[in-house]
Amino acid sequence: MKLGKVEFCHFLQILALFLCLSGMNQAELSRSRSKPYFQSGRTRTKRSWVWNQFFVLEEYMGTDPLYVGKLHSDVDKGDGSIKYILSGEGASSIFIIDENTGDIHATKRLDREEQAYYTLRAQALDRLTNKPVEPESEFVIKIQDINDNEPKFLDGPYTAGVPEMSPVGTSVVQVTATDADDPTYGNSARVVYSILQGQPYFSVEPKTGVIKTALPNMDREAKDQYLLVIQAKDMVGQNGGLSGTTSVTVTLTDVNDNPPRFPRRSYQYNVPESLPVSSVVARIKAADADVGPNAEMEYKIVDGDGLGVFKISVDKDTQEGIITIQKELDFEAKTSYTLRIEAANMHVDPRFLSLGPFSDMTTVKIIVEDVDEPPVFTSRLYSMVVSEAAKVGTIIGTVAAHDPDASNSPVRYSIDRNTDLERYFNIDANSGVITTAKSLDRETNAVHNITVLAMESQNPAQIGRGYVAITILDINDNAPEFAMEYEATVCENAQPGQVIQKISAIDKDDPPNGHQFYFSLTAEAANNHNFTLQDNKDNTATVLTRRNGFRRQEQSVFYLPIFIVDSGSPSLSSTNTLTIRVCDCDADGIAQTCNAEAYILPAGLSTGALIAILACVLTLLVLVLLIVTMRRRKKEPLIFDEERDIRENIVRYDDEGGGEEDTEAFDMAALRNLNIIRDTKTRRDVTPEIQFLSRPTFKSIPDNVIFREFIWERLKEADVDPCAPPYDSLQTYAFEGNGSVAESLSSLDSISSNSDQNYDYLSDWGPRFKRLADMYGTGPECLYS
């Protein structure tokens, strides 16, 4: 660690003090005042070590080893017979000893902050025998501190908060600096604090490092944050001391020291009278310089003529007062409203009540604007009644509507046909009189709910709606009938007077006093000998037997006509037929079999015969299904291997023919004798001069015809081949056609040939044949002319 000028001067002062005391810091081995004595042929000499602690300054910067101290024994006569050795911490590596003189030196720079002392052991030995002349002794070398470490703020930089408007001396935060120097020696580790930046707002305690406010009434709204620089200096702040700094950010926290204030004393807003209920009329806000809970406020209407028409609430996010409508507005009734609104803080700090009331008042005037409103009916719902016997054109009732505007425009009426699809009713467009347009039936629809439209004559777009409920009054126009389809049964062993069925009736009409039905048998059935009817006088009747001995073989079903009359005015009646079946019953009277065919069955086929017939029919059906299945299977291709589906696949056979002599694999004659003389068809890529070739040629067949005929012949052979596979397969044939009409273009025999063949036509075949034309042409540029 390097030292500055001031530190170096301080080091020289300490060094001078050390040199003055160097005589006292030496450890000497002194001679005992007791003299040697002889006993039993042995000489015993008493020796002793006298020690003092060694001190050495840290951070020695010199080039020579630093002298620490001297060891000396009273046995040492100075003749070199005694040598000194050193062991322990740092022996040989840091501390060395002159074995002749006992002088100890430090060879390295020492740092007390790394190690404050070293414990070593010293011993004096006889140089010749290397045996100790004195017992080994332990001593300590202490590192003497110098001021070589500046104070450090280990927890910095700091952040802190203090409420605004705090009194002088309010504690903000405490800062702490540490100094690595020795606190027990000198003032190297004694730290004092001072403030370098932040006056005059804050101060710091020199000894404790506590930061406090230094000015009263610091206002957060004026300035909410301060940056302080705190210094810690050792040597009790004296000159030459080392120092360190840290920063402290102090934030003023808010207190409720600002009352709310409206920016304006009065506000005015215009709203249309058609604005719906709960709509927002206006938003007003009182300004408050505070933040958070200290800026929360509530609004209320304290006076005015709109207390029941408007209300005000607070927006929690923006702290605005929201004025909304509570009742419908009507320009014709009232054109303006005046409201006195108060805004007050919700959380008031009593310390600042002297600043004034923490509330404010303002006036809000709301002007209602006139709008063209639709006609309004005198009643929201009209209730009317009409008899279902009413004739077409009967007046049912009247609706009325008027224009609420000052113009009082005439109104025309109509029925919303979406509510009267069958057009049962009409309305007079001018008077609003509702009449019947069709015959009504209460049983079809007892109540008709229709909507009547009223529109202004001058502005048809303004339409009002009224609702009319028309109830249809009942008349006795429906005869009574059975309440349900009855299935009555009578046992063959029934006794006379036995109840076989209880019946009731219904009527679609709805008389005011309820239904009353009367039951009886018709005149033609009144004297029958089988059944009788008893009216129970409670809208029910009971059917009873008149005799016994019912037999299904004689008659299995009886039809009993019953006459039912209602109590309407005039009364209506109907005849309903009750079907009664004769059944075989058990001992408890429960029907078992009611079919008369059960007695006819023995005369016909037996149950066993029916089962046999059914079995034969099922057998025939199974045979038909098997035949159909077999026919379908025959149409399907044969599959030799279920796991290998070879349909629509290429089958490859690795068979090799025997060459031209192998006539078994292919019919060579069929492949060679395909030269059929046909009409000549000139190729597109050959000029007409080809016809004048001197070599004998055959008339060629078009390529597609040759290959088509070849494939057709092979196909016919495959169809009649019994060894061919019974599925689609790929047949491969080696046929290349009949050759080119130009025959071979090879020059192997053309050069040596004496043929007078003319090859000048090659020049007309284009640039691809230019090389051949140059070789075989007869022109002057020909290579072999």
Side-chain angles (χ1 to χ4, degrees):
M1 183 179 293
K2 297 182 178 180
L3 301 178
K5 294 181 178 180
V6 176
E7 289 78 8
F8 185 72
C9 294
H10 182 63
F11 169 75
L12 293 179
Q13 294 174 0
I14 297 175
L15 182 60
L17 179 62
F18 173 76
L19 294 177
C20 293
L21 300 175
S22 60
M24 298 174 60
N25 293 338
Q26 294 180 1
E28 296 183 352
L29 187 59
S30 61
R31 181 181 292 108
S32 174
R33 296 189 181 274
S34 59
K35 295 184 179 180
Y37 60 93
F38 298 93
Q39 182 181 0
S40 301
R42 293 185 302 171
T43 302
R44 182 179 182 273
T45 305
K46 184 178 180 181
R47 298 291 184 262
S48 63
W49 291 88
V50 179
W51 294 100
N52 288 320
Q53 277 188 337
F54 289 123
F55 294 92
V56 61
L57 286 174
E58 67 171 335
E59 304 293 347
Y60 172 68
M61 307 295 293
T63 56
D64 297 331
L66 177 63
Y67 180 76
V68 177
K70 184 179 181 66
L71 296 179
H72 184 72
S73 174
D74 57 359
V75 180
D76 187 4
K77 305 299 183 180
D79 54 0
S81 61
I82 302 299
K83 69 175 181 179
Y84 300 92
I85 61 173
L86 196 64
S87 61
E89 292 181 313
S92 301
S93 59
I94 299 176
F95 302 101
I96 58 173
I97 188 171
D98 189 328
E99 65 177 12
N100 296 320
T101 64
D103 292 333
I104 301 174
H105 293 80
T107 60
K108 294 183 178 179
R109 187 177 66 178
L110 303 176
D111 189 354
R112 188 201 66 84
E113 286 71 36
E114 293 182 2
Q115 187 166 346
Y117 63 90
Y118 295 85
T119 302
L120 295 95
R121 294 180 299 278
Q123 194 170 29
L125 303 177
D126 186 284
R127 188 180 296 275
L128 296 178
T129 63
N130 207 31
K131 292 182 179 181
V133 297
E134 295 289 345
E136 187 180 56
S137 183
E138 188 176 81
F139 66 97
V140 175
I141 299 178
K142 294 189 67 174
I143 310 302
Q144 195 169 14
D145 183 50
I146 65 172
N147 189 19
D148 59 342
N149 291 279
E150 72 278 3
K152 294 182 179 179
F153 293 92
L154 302 180
D155 297 329
Y158 297 84
T159 57
V162 63
E164 62 173 332
M165 312 299 289
S166 295
V168 175
T170 301
S171 178
V172 179
V173 69
Q174 183 177 15
V175 296
T176 304
T178 58
D179 195 317
D181 293 325
D182 188 0
T184 63
Y185 179 79
N187 297 324
S188 300
R190 295 182 61 184
V191 177
V192 294
Y193 301 92
S194 61
I195 183 168
L196 301 182
Q197 178 180 320
Q199 296 100 339
Y201 306 103
F202 298 93
S203 62
V204 63
E205 287 286 341
K207 294 182 178 180
T208 62
V210 175
I211 300 174
K212 299 180 179 180
T213 58
L215 281 181
N217 302 327
M218 285 191 291
D219 192 2
R220 184 198 66 83
E221 289 71 32
K223 184 177 182 181
D224 63 345
Q225 197 172 78
Y226 297 85
L227 180 62
L228 282 62
V229 178
I230 305 299
Q231 175 184 266
K233 189 173 184 180
D234 59 14
M235 298 298 293
V236 202
Q238 298 177 0
N239 292 335
L242 304 180
S243 63
T245 60
T246 188
S247 64
V248 181
T249 301
V250 179
T251 302
L252 296 183
T253 58
D254 186 54
V255 297
N256 193 5
D257 59 338
N258 293 279
R261 291 290 181 264
F262 282 106
R264 296 163 57 183
R265 292 292 91 192
S266 64
Y267 298 85
Q268 179 174 316
Y269 300 96
N270 295 347
V271 295
E273 62 174 333
S274 60
L275 201 63
V277 174
S278 300
S279 298
V280 177
V281 174
R283 285 176 174 262
I284 59 175
K285 184 177 182 180
D288 192 330
D290 297 321
V291 294
N294 296 319
E296 292 180 0
M297 61 188 74
E298 58 182 355
Y299 297 87
K300 58 183 178 180
I301 301 175
V302 297
D303 195 9
D305 54 1
L307 288 175
V309 181
F310 302 93
K311 71 173 182 178
I312 188 168
S313 58
V314 63
D315 187 329
K316 298 297 183 181
D317 296 328
T318 62
Q319 297 301 316
E320 291 178 310
I322 305 173
I323 303 174
T324 55
I325 299 176
Q326 281 187 299
K327 294 182 179 180
E328 291 184 352
L329 302 178
D330 188 359
F331 173 81
E332 288 71 26
K334 191 173 180 61
T335 59
S336 65
Y337 296 89
T338 301
L339 307 175
R340 288 284 294 168
I341 296 177
E342 179 188 55
N345 277 138
M346 298 180 63
H347 310 286
V348 179
D349 193 336
R351 296 178 300 171
F352 305 104
L353 290 176
S354 59
L355 299 178
F358 280 76
S359 63
D360 196 18
M361 300 282 291
T362 190
T363 301
V364 176
K365 187 173 183 180
I366 299 175
I367 306 298
V368 181
E369 297 177 343
D370 186 26
V371 296
D372 191 3
E373 298 176 274
V376 178
F377 283 88
T378 56
S379 176
R380 294 184 59 86
L381 177 63
Y382 295 87
S383 296
M384 303 177 183
V385 294
V386 63
S387 173
E388 64 176 328
K391 297 181 180 180
V392 175
T394 300
I395 296 176
I396 301 174
T398 304
V399 296
H402 69 282
D403 183 6
D405 299 321
S407 60
N408 196 16
S409 175
V411 176
R412 295 182 61 82
Y413 302 94
S414 64
I415 294 177
D416 184 355
R417 291 304 175 184
N418 291 324
T419 60
D420 184 26
L421 297 176
E422 300 295 331
R423 294 181 176 268
Y424 285 109
F425 308 99
N426 287 328
I427 189 170
D428 187 274
N430 297 317
S431 64
V433 175
I434 300 175
T435 58
T436 58
K438 281 185 177 181
S439 298
L440 304 175
D441 185 8
R442 189 204 65 83
E443 288 70 35
T444 302
N445 193 350
V447 179
H448 294 264
N449 294 301
I450 63 174
T451 300
V452 177
L453 306 178
M455 62 184 68
E456 294 182 8
S457 299
Q458 298 177 359
N459 186 7
Q462 296 296 333
I463 300 175
R465 286 174 170 80
Y467 303 97
V468 181
I470 302 175
T471 303
I472 310 301
L473 299 179
D474 185 45
I475 62 172
N476 191 22
D477 58 345
N478 291 279
E481 57 185 12
F482 277 161
M484 58 180 294
E485 292 291 335
Y486 292 103
E487 291 289 339
T489 60
V490 60
C491 294
E492 289 182 311
N493 57 357
Q495 299 300 318
Q498 182 175 334
V499 177
I500 63 172
Q501 184 67 52
K502 186 176 182 179
I503 61 175
S504 62
I506 59 172
D507 194 329
K508 294 180 181 178
D509 295 324
D510 186 17
N513 298 324
H515 291 288
Q516 181 63 47
F517 301 116
Y518 304 95
F519 299 88
S520 64
L521 295 178
T522 60
E524 58 271 14
N527 297 323
N528 77 89
H529 303 288
N530 300 312
F531 305 98
T532 184
L533 181 69
Q534 178 181 338
D535 192 341
N536 299 326
K537 306 301 182 181
D538 59 354
N539 291 338
T540 64
T542 304
V543 179
L544 305 104
T545 59
R546 278 188 172 181
R547 67 177 178 88
N548 58 2
F550 293 95
R551 293 181 60 81
R552 285 179 289 170
Q553 297 89 334
E554 296 177 359
Q555 186 174 350
S556 62
V557 180
F558 292 90
Y559 298 99
L560 186 66
I562 298 175
F563 186 71
I564 308 175
V565 181
D566 62 18
S567 59
S569 179
S571 62
L572 297 179
S573 63
S574 67
T575 300
N576 297 265
T577 302
L578 177 65
T579 302
I580 305 173
R581 296 183 180 276
V582 180
C583 299
D584 181 22
C585 302
D586 58 12
D588 296 329
I590 300 175
Q592 300 295 319
T593 304
C594 297
N595 295 329
E597 290 77 5
Y599 290 93
I600 304 174
L601 186 60
L605 295 175
S606 64
T607 304
L610 290 175
I611 295 175
I613 293 173
L614 183 60
C616 292
V617 173
L618 291 175
T619 304
L620 290 175
L621 289 176
V622 171
L623 290 176
V624 171
L625 291 175
L626 288 175
I627 293 172
V628 173
T629 304
M630 293 298 294
R631 287 186 176 181
R632 289 183 178 179
R633 292 184 57 128
K634 287 182 179 180
K635 294 180 181 180
E636 295 178 356
L638 297 177
I639 300 176
F640 297 104
D641 189 358
E642 293 182 356
E643 297 181 357
R644 180 185 177 193
D645 188 0
I646 57 177
R647 291 172 296 174
E648 300 181 1
N649 292 329
I650 298 176
V651 180
R652 176 177 177 182
Y653 299 93
D654 293 330
D655 295 335
E656 297 183 2
E660 295 182 356
E661 298 180 358
D662 185 3
T663 59
E664 297 297 331
F666 303 97
D667 187 358
M668 302 304 294
L671 296 176
R672 292 172 178 171
N673 299 329
L674 292 175
N675 295 328
I676 302 174
I677 305 300
R678 300 180 183 271
D679 295 338
T680 303
K681 187 174 182 179
T682 306
R683 287 175 54 180
R684 295 180 180 179
D685 58 345
V686 179
T687 57
E689 284 79 7
I690 296 177
Q691 300 176 1
F692 300 98
L693 295 175
S694 60
R695 295 183 181 181
T697 59
F698 296 99
K699 292 183 179 180
S700 63
I701 302 174
D703 293 345
N704 57 347
V705 176
I706 296 174
F707 289 105
R708 188 186 309 115
E709 292 181 352
F710 176 78
I711 293 173
W712 180 249
E713 291 177 1
R714 301 288 82 74
L715 180 61
K716 289 189 295 182
E717 292 178 359
D719 289 340
V720 299
D721 187 0
C723 299
Y727 47 81
D728 294 341
S729 61
L730 179 65
Q731 304 291 334
T732 305
Y733 301 100
F735 176 62
E736 299 180 357
N738 293 329
S740 173
V741 295
E743 298 189 5
S744 176
L745 298 179
S746 174
S747 61
L748 294 178
D749 56 354
S750 299
I751 298 177
S752 60
S753 174
N754 294 326
S755 174
D756 57 354
Q757 176 67 43
N758 184 9
Y759 295 101
D760 292 341
Y761 62 86
L762 294 176
S763 301
D764 300 329
W765 285 11
R768 294 186 178 181
F769 296 90
K770 185 176 183 305
R771 184 64 176 172
L772 292 175
D774 293 341
M775 295 174 62
Y776 293 97
T778 57
E781 65 278 3
C782 181
L783 297 175
Y784 301 99
S785 56

